[in-house]
Amino acid sequence: MRFATYTSDGVQHYGAVTDDGMIALDDVFAQWPTLFDVVQGGGLDQLGQAASGRKVTHAVFDYDMVLPNARRILCVGVNFPDRNAEYKDGSEQPKFMSLFPRFASGFTGHDRPLIRPPESPQLDYEGEVAIVIGKAGRRIAQADAYDHIAALTLCNEGTIRDWVRHAKFNVTQGKNWDRSGSIGPWLVPFTDATQLDEARIITRVNAEVRQDDMLSRMMHPIRREIEYISTFMALEPGDIIVTGTPTGSGARLDPPQYLRPGDVVEVEVNGIGTLRNTVEDERI
């Protein structure tokens, strides 16, 4: 079962995804106005039960960022061995992970355009798996970490490269341009460790493979991410952790290949699906 946030005739809904369209469920659960509220209320199982046997309500729709009112999005940087080597600084695998925040306004939905701002031509792609927390916790042990995941989704963690270098110690301004990245298309409930442990992530630009790696090769595995992050902050249902991107982003190619209007970017992970976006210049 897959669940998404979407818009039809100017009205935002959430519901179950089928091959023929959407089954709206927001009218069934008045106590949960948004999909974020469903996750906070531990209601994904109830959504699946409610969708069973119901007919498609919207055959024509547009996907939105899957949790557009997400309150906290944390991203893990430089989390694959080859990605660390890209920096060519001779550093060994870091003991601790790099982290930075992103805000929901920086993301759009599946099949919507990523927006390149006029201030920079260096819009880059980063294909990643994102996990959605479903069970609160502080100082979570690695052995228990997967018990705190409600669902999985995909992220293209779009970055304005020159803006991440405006200051010495942070990348926040280069990571939060409006609609520069995407999260979606949907949530896939997390039910089995193999959904992550055997996942392969592939990013394509105009059908050319740019990134291809296994999550099992992460320097800081997802269990460790949950353990580490929950040490300094209590994780809450609805929190999103964007888990890290493999080597092959446009900035690291020779010469660099940044995204341009008309490009099509696809992030694919077995068992989750494919997140696809085009690219457009911002209209000002």
Side-chain angles (χ1 to χ4, degrees):
M1 190 66 71
R2 300 164 294 171
F3 305 105
T5 300
Y6 66 97
T7 298
S8 182
D9 293 328
V11 179
Q12 190 173 81
H13 302 272
Y14 67 82
V17 183
T18 77
D19 292 340
D20 298 318
M22 292 290 187
I23 301 172
L25 296 170
D26 49 295
D27 59 340
V28 179
F29 297 98
Q31 73 272 34
W32 296 324
T34 70
L35 191 54
F36 177 81
D37 297 308
V38 174
V39 173
Q40 282 208 314
L44 290 179
D45 286 346
Q46 293 183 54
L47 252 60
Q49 294 168 12
S52 180
R54 296 174 72 92
K55 295 182 179 180
V56 167
T57 57
H58 297 97
V60 179
F61 60 91
D62 294 306
Y63 284 97
D64 293 329
M65 192 279 221
V66 69
L67 295 179
N69 53 338
R71 296 174 185 171
R72 304 194 297 186
I73 304 171
L74 273 178
C75 303
V76 181
V78 194
N79 197 24
F80 284 81
D82 296 338
R83 183 90 171 95
N84 187 55
E86 284 180 332
Y87 283 79
K88 299 180 180 179
D89 58 2
S91 66
E92 299 296 327
Q93 176 174 325
K95 180 178 179 181
F96 300 110
M97 65 194 71
S98 300
L99 292 170
F100 55 89
R102 284 202 64 153
F103 313 117
S105 59
F107 294 106
T108 190
H110 174 67
D111 269 340
R112 292 180 182 260
L114 307 179
I115 301 302
R116 188 177 73 164
E119 288 81 3
S120 173
Q122 294 187 15
L123 173 61
D124 207 351
Y125 55 88
E126 294 187 7
E128 310 187 40
V129 169
I131 62 171
V132 180
I133 297 298
K135 177 184 175 183
R138 181 81 192 277
R139 299 183 176 92
I140 300 166
Q142 290 192 44
D144 302 324
Y146 281 3
D147 296 337
H148 291 260
I149 302 175
L152 310 177
T153 189
L154 301 177
C155 178
N156 183 346
E157 210 261 294
T159 302
I160 305 299
R161 288 294 176 196
D162 51 343
W163 277 67
V164 303
R165 300 180 179 88
H166 278 188
K168 184 177 292 186
F169 297 118
N170 68 80
V171 298
T172 301
Q173 57 268 54
K175 293 286 189 174
N176 281 289
W177 289 80
D178 288 350
R179 295 177 292 161
S180 58
S182 61
I183 296 181
W186 42 62
L187 298 183
V188 175
F190 182 67
T191 59
D192 190 298
T194 61
Q195 289 173 275
L196 291 174
D197 295 345
E198 298 179 7
R200 176 186 181 188
I201 185 166
I202 300 172
T203 305
R204 300 179 180 89
V205 178
N206 301 325
E208 177 189 358
V209 174
R210 298 282 183 86
Q211 298 179 295
D212 187 352
D213 216 326
M214 302 294 295
L215 265 62
S216 59
R217 286 186 1 98
M218 284 180 167
M219 295 188 295
H220 303 289
I222 290 170
R223 291 182 187 272
R224 170 59 178 155
E225 294 176 5
I226 293 172
E227 176 192 48
Y228 181 74
I229 293 169
S230 70
T231 304
F232 64 85
M233 60 183 270
L235 289 173
E236 300 174 356
D239 289 345
I240 299 174
I241 300 174
V242 182
T243 59
T245 195
T247 187
S249 60
R252 300 299 172 179
L253 301 179
D254 186 15
Q257 297 184 42
Y258 297 111
L259 297 174
R260 298 177 294 181
D263 284 347
V264 178
V265 189
E266 296 175 305
V267 180
E268 177 184 347
V269 175
N270 53 299
I272 302 178
T274 300
L275 172 64
R276 180 176 56 254
N277 296 94
T278 54
V279 179
E280 290 184 3
D281 277 335
E282 182 179 353
R283 299 174 185 176
I284 58 174

